Amino acid sequence: MQLVVARVGRAHGIKGEVTVEVRTDEPELRLGPGAVLATDPASAGPLTIETGRVHSGRLLLRFEGVRDRNGAEALRNTLLIAEVDPDAKPEDPDEYYDHQLMDLDVILEDGTEVGRITEISHLPSQDLFVVERADGTEVLIPFVEEIVVDIDLEKQRAVIDPPPGLIDDRAEIASSRDADNASGDTENSSGDAESTSAGDEA
């Protein structure tokens, strides 16, 4: 099975190094020296990693045969693809490969269906599930233990306990405003809604 493990960014320096956007939880395994990676577009590869190092929090790679800035810049936006055993699992029991999480049903703890995972977005601060709902809309679920309380690969589902507003923010805000209008305390309600929103984004 082939999985995208990184995307090549801009050239770094003049000796052929490139920055990479890592898309794997095991960069030391997938992006170590000697690793041979397929590419998208295919015409750019395969590429063999010669060296790797971390600089200012970013992973820098140099590939065999790429010796100058022009060669490195020509690889920009190329996807790096590793061959992975579909039955393999990460060493950490709390980690998962992207392909294991794709298409899982997302439900609340009470069994309410939320949608289906269609994409895993890897951000510098955290990973996000892109969940498609029955009506075709999408919702982003942070993959953190406070929200994703259980991953059951056998039952093909992810159980979540979202904070108010994460799943249906507009509905939450509307109901909060209605409650405030009834109590005559609109200002506090607005503050609560904004605070919930900001907390969800963080």
Side-chain angles (χ1 to χ4, degrees), residues 20-170:
V20 293
E21 173 192 315
V22 177
R23 298 188 181 180
T24 172
D25 290 330
E26 300 175 311
E28 67 286 343
L29 175 64
R30 308 296 176 196
L31 299 170
V36 180
L37 302 168
T39 60
D40 181 7
S43 58
L47 294 171
T48 301
I49 297 175
E50 186 173 277
T51 63
R53 65 187 179 98
V54 176
H55 175 73
S56 298
R58 260 200 177 288
L59 179 61
L60 302 179
L61 298 179
R62 180 160 52 219
F63 302 104
E64 290 184 4
V66 179
R67 288 289 177 266
D68 57 31
R69 187 177 183 86
N70 289 338
E73 195 62 39
L75 294 173
R76 191 168 184 172
N77 292 324
T78 296
L79 297 179
L80 304 178
I81 302 169
E83 191 70 37
V84 177
D85 182 347
D87 295 324
K89 296 180 180 180
E91 292 182 4
D92 188 332
D94 292 326
E95 291 183 356
Y96 302 87
Y97 292 133
D98 285 6
H99 71 273
Q100 294 176 300
L101 301 171
M102 291 292 289
D103 293 324
L104 292 188
D105 292 323
V106 178
I107 63 172
L108 301 181
E109 289 183 296
D110 64 5
T112 302
E113 295 183 5
V114 176
R116 178 179 59 88
I117 298 174
T118 58
E119 184 182 341
I120 315 296
S121 179
H122 299 281
L123 302 181
S125 58
Q126 64 186 6
D127 295 335
L128 295 173
F129 292 161
V130 180
V131 178
E132 182 179 314
R133 311 194 70 173
D135 61 4
T137 60
E138 291 183 340
V139 62
L140 301 179
I141 308 293
F143 187 18
V144 294
E145 61 183 355
E146 294 83 3
I147 296 175
V148 181
V149 297
D150 184 48
I151 297 288
D152 191 328
L153 296 181
E154 287 189 8
K155 295 183 178 179
Q156 286 291 286
R157 70 184 187 186
V159 181
I160 65 171
D161 179 21
L166 181 63
I167 302 300
D168 284 311
D169 52 344
R170 282 175 293 183

